[in-house]
Amino acid sequence: MASFTASSLSTSTSVMTTCDSKPEITPQKLMNSSILVQPEWIEMEICDVGNSIFNELPLSKENLNLKVKSLNTALVFKDLKLLKLLASTRNGLLNKGLRSTIWPELFIENHAINDTPTDWHDLPKHKDEDQVLKDVERSFVSFPKGITPEELKDLRTRLNNLIVRVIRTTPALNYYQGYHDVATIVVLVFDDDDLAFKFLHKLTLSYLRDHMLPHIESTVKQLNLISELLEKIDYKFFKAIGSIPPLYALSSVISVFSHDLSKFDDLCLVWDFIFVHDDPALIIYIYASILIYYKDDILNDLDELSGKSFSSDDTLIDESSTSIHEDEFYNRDFIHVILNNLIDNNLNSTNSIDSNLEIYNILQLSLKYINKYPPSSLKLMSEISDYSVLKAKRSELELLKSSSSFNNEPKRPSSSLPKKKGRLSSIILRNKSLSLILKLSLGIGLLSIIINYTVSNHPNVLSHSFIKFRSREFGVLNSFSVNAIFKDVENTALFFYSSAGKVVESIRGNGNR
Amino acid sequence: MSNNRKKTILKVIILGDSGVGKTSLMQQFINGKFSQQYKATIGADFLPKDLTIDDKQVTMQIWDTAGQERFQSLGVAFYRGSDCCVLVYDVTNTKSFENVQSWRDEFLIQANIKDPDNFPFVVIGNKIDVEENKRLISSKKAQALCANLGNLPYFETSAKEAVNVEQAFDVVARNALQQEESLEFSDDYTDAVNIHVDGDNYGSCGC
């Protein structure tokens, strides 16, 4: 526990040190210090700093506590960037309680939603309420597990009320099957029905409204983006499965994966991620990433089912055959059925630790693709209405992009040699030798005096000069138990993470200039 | 590969209003089980079942579909190449019964069936396990409709209690096989279907 805390703090404080432009605390100075002998420097993107702390799987109990406290601190300080940084790490927002507080922060922060002026019960009945009831009656199938019939009944009543309240409040919305799956998640996360309504209403209008037009055409247009994306990402793979319209993605896309992911935790991770980036287009990119992630399995299954070799090169590029034999129908059917069951046969069939990791990888992949092939680069976007959530939301996002951690990529191998790069990067101290600890201990006596002084000034945690001061100490003390210095971990975490957010912000400010 | 080509695949589509029990019927026929806990079907998906009909080995692909009307237009992607269509209604739900004919008509258009008068349909009235007073559609009424639609075979089933499911799908399989074999004689059938399906698709979307 102690060693983790210490090293994680050292990692992050070194970032502060590096990013500080004042000469007196440059890494070089630290390196030249008589206390530090031969430290190793590695390069790390600023956006990876937060990730590096909490990305272990499974997260240890200590790290978990630290993360919870960090999240709470970020909440207290309304530090959205820090919230996003923490939410982007592997276990996302961890639990229902945090999600019900943080999702609205991430997502409905700037959108004042007026309560329904009258009691929603008194609003006119919506034409789709019968369909809602039919779907509510078969809801909560995969989760929650082990509830009593009474609890199930209660959940279904809440679900029905929630959906009916949304569609009565905005009668122009056309309910669709799959929307009820979205609403089940909201019911499970939010105990407060009014907050659940506000959240779902906002989610509906800013993410799902394309699917709630009278016809399904706008949904199909969104789905078609998956094909184009696939064509850009992996042309050979596209040739193998691109002959059918991506209707296999229908349930995942319109339900934001809630119809298909059978583990509640997995689903919440995906939602954490989407809300952190607050971009409806990510749903399409995540789906495409799932296809790419399981490409080998898909091709193997196709070979097996159809008796043809989809995975061999010559089949893929063969465009000479003009007539389509009846067998071609079966191939298309096979493709559909394999892809339609892709999530069920993979993510839903593994244990939660594996699926958790796979989801993290898939999400990181989707970030890579949305940066490399943004929606604006897709030709089929021209078919999509200007009022689509994919377009209306985009303009806001382009502005935010430069200051968010959008450049996150899957874990990179760390290099021991510092490289020059144009992008914002920082140098991190990595401590690995035990002998260093011994040598460091020589300086402890001297430093403890300074530290005691610092702790007594705790209320000043947010002042920048204080942070610089602290960071220098942490840089030096990187292998000591922080518990021994501070009274408890809570103070450490509270102090550190509230500061870190401000520093990251100021670094970004510098970087953008 | 040659084995695969030889094996006859019978494609069967199950249609009907939301909640009539399409998924339950399919699951009962294929896996012999019933659950109260089937999720609503979104889009379409099939399960295969190997059968022997009069010494002939066939694989039946049973396609389960979404019942909500807004998904109907997607059928064009799934219905092509079907050998039989099962129209399901719920004997406790009048509207689902009234919609049987429109499901049939929609299928004929979207699957682009060349010879609609001879395409095999089977009608199923499901949920006969309910108490008598909850039942709203009598056998007589259902039989009259089926006669009117061209003497379609009619079955009353309970997917929940496995009543008549096997029998209904036996007829489905036989009719599908007959349909499949009749198609083998028309060589240019498939090309024609392919061209027209796409054309009609865009035409119908526009209106």
Side-chain angles (χ1 to χ4, degrees):
Chain A
M1 149 68 201
S3 70
F4 172 80
T5 314
S7 68
S8 64
L9 285 173
S10 80
T11 304
S12 311
T13 34
S14 303
V15 173
M16 299 185 203
T17 313
T18 314
C19 297
D20 191 302
S21 53
K22 296 269 169 65
E24 65 270 21
I25 45 170
T26 60
Q28 281 69 30
K29 284 247 169 147
L30 275 175
M31 281 179 80
N32 293 338
S33 142
S34 59
I35 302 168
L36 285 177
V37 181
Q38 297 289 321
E40 192 173 347
W41 302 90
I42 60 160
E43 187 195 43
M44 191 182 250
E45 294 298 322
I46 196 75
C47 56
D48 288 340
V49 175
N51 290 359
S52 69
I53 303 168
F54 296 119
N55 276 343
E56 281 172 13
L57 271 180
L59 202 60
S60 70
K61 204 179 161 195
E62 287 83 1
N63 300 355
L64 189 70
N65 288 337
L66 200 62
K67 187 168 168 181
V68 170
K69 285 173 175 129
S70 313
L71 281 165
N72 283 325
T73 309
L75 257 181
V76 169
F77 286 94
K78 295 263 173 210
D79 192 332
L80 208 59
K81 281 179 182 159
L82 183 56
L83 273 181
K84 290 184 175 189
L85 193 77
L86 289 163
S88 306
T89 61
R90 245 174 217 170
N91 284 311
L93 292 175
L94 301 170
N95 62 47
K96 176 185 153 168
L98 283 164
R99 288 187 170 109
S100 65
T101 327
I102 297 173
W103 280 356
E105 288 289 331
L106 291 173
F107 183 60
I108 52 181
E109 27 148 358
N110 299 320
H111 312 272
I113 296 170
N114 297 326
D115 266 319
T116 331
T118 49
D119 186 353
W120 65 272
H121 292 93
D122 301 335
L123 292 168
K125 199 174 178 222
H126 190 279
K127 68 175 173 62
D128 293 332
E129 287 182 31
D130 290 344
Q131 182 69 54
V132 173
L133 192 59
K134 278 183 188 167
D135 295 332
V136 165
E137 280 166 1
R138 359 174 216 183
S139 57
F140 300 103
V141 172
S142 306
F143 46 74
K145 299 250 183 270
I147 52 167
T148 63
E150 289 72 34
E151 286 168 325
L152 180 63
K153 199 177 161 210
D154 180 51
L155 282 173
R156 286 179 174 170
T157 306
R158 286 184 60 212
L159 179 65
N160 194 62
N161 289 345
L162 176 62
I163 298 173
V164 169
R165 185 171 171 186
V166 172
I167 58 178
R168 281 192 188 182
T169 306
T170 312
L173 297 170
N174 294 273
Y175 169 83
Y176 61 87
Q177 293 189 298
Y179 183 83
H180 72 296
D181 291 306
V182 174
T184 56
I185 307 302
V186 179
V187 165
L188 289 173
V189 167
F190 295 92
D191 291 329
D192 175 1
D193 286 342
D194 287 334
L195 191 55
F197 164 74
K198 279 186 190 175
F199 185 79
L200 182 63
H201 195 233
K202 168 65 187 159
L203 182 65
T204 305
L205 297 182
S206 56
Y207 276 67
L208 307 172
R209 66 169 190 259
D210 290 24
H211 312 309
M212 303 185 92
L213 292 165
H215 301 289
I216 202 172
E217 212 174 315
S218 47
T219 302
V220 174
K221 284 180 180 172
Q222 277 204 18
L223 295 178
N224 287 338
L225 297 174
I226 295 173
S227 292
E228 190 183 346
L229 203 50
L230 208 59
E231 189 177 358
K232 283 186 192 277
I233 297 170
D234 191 333
Y235 185 70
K236 261 172 74 176
F237 186 39
F238 167 75
K239 290 298 283 180
I241 66 169
S243 64
I244 60 165
L247 295 174
Y248 45 81
L250 177 70
S251 58
S252 289
V253 169
I254 64 179
S255 73
V256 198
F257 299 96
S258 58
H259 183 77
D260 296 279
L261 285 169
S262 65
K263 279 172 264 174
F264 182 65
D265 287 348
D266 286 352
L267 190 270
C268 285
L269 280 185
V270 176
W271 280 30
D272 286 346
F273 177 83
I274 292 171
F275 299 149
V276 159
H277 297 290
D278 196 9
D279 185 355
L282 268 174
I283 299 166
I284 300 292
Y285 285 80
I286 293 169
Y287 197 90
S289 303
I290 293 175
L291 292 174
I292 299 287
Y293 195 80
Y294 295 111
K295 175 178 137 184
D296 293 344
D297 303 275
I298 294 168
L299 293 175
N300 284 339
D301 287 350
L302 275 172
D303 284 353
E304 217 171 275
L305 250 184
S306 67
K308 293 186 174 183
S309 186
F310 276 84
S311 45
S312 76
D313 286 354
D314 44 325
T315 325
L316 302 185
I317 329 168
D318 181 23
E319 282 169 341
S320 57
S321 64
T322 45
S323 70
I324 298 173
H325 190 269
E326 195 183 344
D327 276 6
E328 197 62 32
F329 294 148
Y330 302 135
N331 291 336
R332 286 161 165 246
D333 288 350
F334 287 146
I335 297 170
H336 175 82
V337 86
I338 287 166
L339 299 179
N340 205 45
N341 291 288
L342 188 62
I343 289 178
D344 226 20
N345 292 335
N346 289 284
L347 287 166
N348 292 348
S349 303
T350 55
N351 64 52
S352 53
I353 292 179
D354 285 348
S355 64
N356 204 288
L357 180 64
E358 285 175 18
I359 281 178
Y360 181 79
N361 290 336
I362 288 164
L363 295 177
Q364 297 303 310
L365 204 57
S366 72
L367 270 191
K368 184 177 135 189
Y369 294 141
I370 204 169
N371 284 318
K372 202 167 172 191
Y373 313 104
S376 55
S377 74
L378 302 179
K379 282 197 286 269
L380 288 175
M381 279 298 280
S382 66
E383 310 248 312
I384 285 175
S385 160
D386 288 343
Y387 301 104
S388 161
V389 295
L390 298 186
K391 286 192 176 169
K393 200 108 184 104
R394 237 19 237 180
S395 49
E396 280 174 49
L397 284 161
E398 297 295 337
L399 286 171
L400 292 168
K401 201 173 162 183
S402 57
S403 60
S404 75
S405 57
F406 241 83
N407 292 322
N408 254 344
E409 279 188 24
K411 205 173 180 180
R412 291 192 311 273
S414 52
S415 156
S416 59
L417 290 172
K419 282 180 288 178
K420 283 276 174 200
K421 254 195 191 177
R423 293 161 68 195
L424 181 63
S425 64
S426 55
I427 299 168
I428 308 292
L429 254 180
R430 192 170 65 182
N431 121 66
K432 60 175 186 177
S433 77
L434 266 171
S435 62
L436 187 63
I437 299 172
L438 295 172
K439 286 169 183 170
L440 279 167
S441 66
L442 296 171
I444 188 67
L446 189 72
L447 280 161
S448 59
I449 300 163
I450 306 168
I451 290 157
N452 284 338
Y453 167 77
T454 317
V455 174
S456 64
N457 282 294
H458 206 77
N460 296 328
V461 285
L462 290 181
S463 96
H464 269 223
S465 60
F466 182 72
I467 292 160
K468 286 169 210 154
F469 181 56
R470 295 307 301 251
S471 57
R472 183 162 43 176
E473 294 158 16
F474 283 131
V476 175
L477 287 167
N478 60 5
S479 54
F480 288 101
S481 158
V482 177
N483 270 345
I485 300 162
F486 288 92
K487 281 165 191 150
D488 57 50
V489 175
E490 186 169 353
N491 285 341
T492 314
L494 284 173
F495 157 70
F496 174 69
Y497 290 103
S498 58
S499 318
K502 302 287 172 190
V503 174
V504 168
E505 204 169 331
S506 76
I507 291 161
R508 282 188 184 127
N510 291 335
N512 291 341
R513 253 179 254 140
Chain B
M1 188 160 163
S2 58
N3 278 344
N4 202 57
R5 270 183 196 285
K6 281 273 180 224
K7 190 151 194 176
T8 306
I9 295 178
L10 304 178
K11 182 167 175 176
V12 174
I13 312 280
I14 308 181
L15 300 178
D17 276 11
S18 182
V20 297
K22 297 181 292 294
T23 306
S24 299
L25 279 166
M26 181 182 74
Q27 287 289 344
Q28 182 57 263
F29 176 61
I30 289 182
N31 297 320
K33 62 181 183 189
F34 176 80
S35 162
Q36 298 277 11
Q37 295 288 305
Y38 293 124
K39 290 192 285 191
T41 307
I42 298 173
D45 195 19
F46 76 75
L47 285 178
K49 180 157 173 130
D50 291 331
L51 294 173
T52 309
I53 305 167
D54 301 336
D55 299 330
K56 194 167 171 118
Q57 298 284 321
V58 299
T59 300
M60 216 159 138
Q61 273 184 5
I62 303 184
W63 284 73
D64 184 21
T65 59
Q68 197 188 2
E69 203 181 331
R70 67 183 291 114
F71 297 119
Q72 258 185 43
S73 63
L74 305 179
V76 74
F78 305 117
Y79 300 169
R80 64 169 115 195
S82 329
D83 299 303
C84 182
C85 177
V86 183
L87 304 167
V88 186
Y89 74 93
D90 170 358
V91 297
T92 68
N93 180 333
T94 310
K95 187 135 191 296
S96 74
F97 176 73
E98 290 167 354
N99 283 336
V100 164
Q101 183 166 352
S102 65
W103 279 110
R104 185 199 67 158
D105 296 345
E106 192 68 26
F107 174 83
L108 289 172
I109 294 166
Q110 295 209 27
N112 196 40
I113 301 299
K114 290 286 133 201
D115 184 8
D117 292 338
N118 290 312
F119 187 86
F121 287 93
V122 172
V123 178
I124 291 181
N126 191 35
K127 305 196 186 178
I128 56 161
D129 51 276
V130 294
E131 297 150 33
E132 196 53 44
N133 62 347
K134 282 194 181 168
R135 183 166 173 160
L136 298 175
I137 307 298
S138 66
S139 301
K140 210 179 238 178
K141 205 172 172 186
Q143 277 158 356
L145 176 79
C146 292
N148 196 28
L149 292 177
N151 285 323
L152 305 183
Y154 172 65
F155 290 87
E156 292 189 347
T157 62
S158 162
K160 188 178 179 181
E161 292 170 3
V163 175
N164 256 348
V165 177
E166 200 74 36
Q167 290 84 334
F169 276 96
D170 184 61
V171 170
V172 169
R174 283 170 192 281
N175 290 355
L177 182 61
Q178 209 177 8
Q179 171 74 3
E180 171 73 17
E181 284 171 343
S182 77
L183 288 183
E184 281 170 14
F185 297 106
S186 60
D187 283 336
D188 56 354
Y189 169 79
T190 51
D191 284 345
V193 164
N194 192 46
I195 293 159
H196 288 282
V197 161
D198 291 343
D200 288 350
N201 181 16
Y202 289 116
S204 64
C205 282
C207 50

